[in-house]
């Protein structure tokens, strides 16, 4: 039985004032059936962990370096995230693949470091509009999975997020059939590589313009175990609407 997860990716948004949203969210907890994770900017991680306290909400990072320490100005290691209170980290987000030219091998090395540090690793995969229109979606997702997901993955330390690039921040969402096709594909690839036990226990999140208004439909799709939410995770009211929808699945 996979526990459902609502994960919020604040991206490069939020100063200390944004913690009031997290406080509001924390006031509405705990949820018996849904895990809630907030990934604020690294500058807020420690304070966010304190605000989340023992509410059941957990916090995570948005990236980490593949090395444990060293001469890497501006970077943050997985151990540092854990030390600041993180229990998870998002890796291979399309914005990092684009802005920082991260390749599958980079994501895999980071994921190994994160897993070694005891973090749950949310590995993002997703196609561009051009790739979808050329009917290459499943090839792209399959390649990203085999390149980015490390061999040491388990149902505890790995979560896969399907985020079609063209759906991120655009208000455009794939059809429910399209989401289902990709999620079923990801599940079958995981089962083939890691065996049925592990393959079936890895949680799969959908991300890309998830809102309170479309969440219930998306959560009804097979092999969707929750969402990775950008814009709608910044406001407690919106994110609560998504959590509510997930609780009602
Ligand atoms: P939006 O929910 O703003 O489309 O962002 C999705 C995303 O990139 C989450 O990682």
């Amino acid at each position: 039985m996979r526990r459902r997860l609502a994960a919020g990716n604040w991206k490069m948004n939020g100063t200390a004032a944004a913690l009031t949203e997290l406080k509001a969210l924390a006031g509405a907890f705990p949820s018996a059936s849904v895990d809630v994770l907030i990934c604020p900017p690294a500058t807020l991680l420690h304070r966010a962990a304190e605000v989340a306290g023992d509410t059941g909400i957990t916090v995570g990072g948005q990236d980490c370096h593949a090395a444990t320490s060293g001469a890497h100005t501006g970077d943050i290691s997985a151990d540092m995230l854990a030390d600041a209170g993180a229990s998870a980290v998002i890796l291979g987000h399309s914005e990092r693949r684009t802005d920082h030219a991260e390749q599958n091998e980079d994501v895999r090395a980071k994921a190994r470091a994160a897993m070694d540090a005891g973090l749950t690793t949310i590995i993002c995969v997703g196609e561009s509009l051009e790739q979808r229109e050329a009917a290459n979606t499943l090839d792209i997702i399959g390649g990203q999975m085999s390149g980015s997901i490390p061999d040491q993955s388990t149902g505890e330390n790995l979560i896969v997020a399907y985020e079609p690039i063209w759906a991120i921040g655009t208000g455009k969402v794939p059809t429910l059939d399209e989401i289902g096709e990709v999620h079923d594909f990801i599940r079958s690839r995981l089962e083939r590589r890691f065996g049925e036990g592990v393959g079936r226990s890895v949680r799969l999140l959908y991300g890309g313009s998830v809102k309170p208004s479309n969440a219930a439909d998306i959560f009804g799709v097979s092999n969707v175990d929750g969402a990775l939410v950008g814009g709608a995770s910044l406001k407690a009211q919106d994110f609560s609407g998504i959590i509510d929808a997930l609780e009602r699945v």
Side-chain angles (χ1 to χ4, degrees):
M1 198 39 199
R2 297 182 297 269
R3 262 183 80 79
R4 285 165 263 159
L5 171 65
N9 175 9
W10 283 9
K11 308 191 179 184
M12 198 173 72
N13 296 294
T15 54
L19 293 172
T20 55
E21 297 298 327
L22 184 55
K23 279 188 195 124
L25 201 61
F29 266 77
S31 162
S33 57
V34 173
D35 290 340
V36 177
L37 169 73
I38 293 289
C39 300
T43 47
L44 288 180
L45 201 44
H46 186 65
R47 279 175 286 180
E50 283 179 348
V51 170
D54 56 8
T55 57
I57 297 178
T58 54
V59 299
Q62 300 176 10
D63 176 50
C64 71
H65 197 278
T68 48
S69 63
H72 301 288
T73 302
D75 278 314
I76 300 174
S77 75
D79 282 332
M80 291 169 181
L81 292 179
D83 183 53
S87 59
V89 61
I90 299 167
L91 292 175
H93 192 285
S94 60
E95 286 150 16
R96 296 217 46 100
R97 291 180 189 259
T98 304
D99 295 355
H100 299 272
E102 285 187 11
Q103 306 298 311
N104 289 328
E105 310 79 73
D106 302 318
V107 178
R108 188 181 184 114
K110 289 173 179 215
R112 274 198 216 109
M115 290 171 178
D116 289 347
L119 298 178
T120 300
T121 304
I122 302 177
I123 296 184
C124 303
V125 297
E127 82 288 1
S128 66
L129 188 57
E130 204 179 25
Q131 289 163 337
R132 175 160 283 277
E133 284 173 347
N136 283 335
T137 298
L138 298 185
D139 280 350
I140 294 294
I141 305 289
Q144 290 171 333
M145 287 180 68
S146 47
S148 306
I149 297 175
D151 291 335
Q152 73 205 81
S153 300
T154 68
E156 283 78 46
N157 67 15
L158 176 69
I159 293 169
V160 179
Y162 169 52
E163 299 207 318
I165 297 168
W166 52 274
I168 294 175
T170 59
K172 290 186 194 141
V173 180
T175 66
L176 300 180
D177 283 349
E178 286 168 340
I179 295 174
E181 182 191 28
V182 174
H183 278 241
D184 289 350
F185 172 80
I186 294 173
R187 176 75 62 215
S188 70
R189 278 296 171 104
L190 289 170
E191 286 178 12
R192 198 171 82 185
R193 177 164 166 198
F194 295 104
E196 276 190 8
V198 170
R200 282 188 191 164
S201 60
V202 174
R203 290 181 285 181
L204 308 186
L205 307 181
Y206 169 78
S209 296
V210 178
K211 312 266 180 255
S213 55
N214 61 16
D217 286 343
I218 292 170
F219 295 148
V221 175
S222 85
N223 281 313
V224 173
D225 302 309
L228 181 56
V229 184
S233 72
L234 296 172
K235 292 277 168 243
Q237 199 181 350
D238 292 340
F239 200 48
S240 297
I242 292 169
I243 296 168
D244 284 349
L246 198 49
E247 281 175 328
R248 286 196 302 269
V249 173

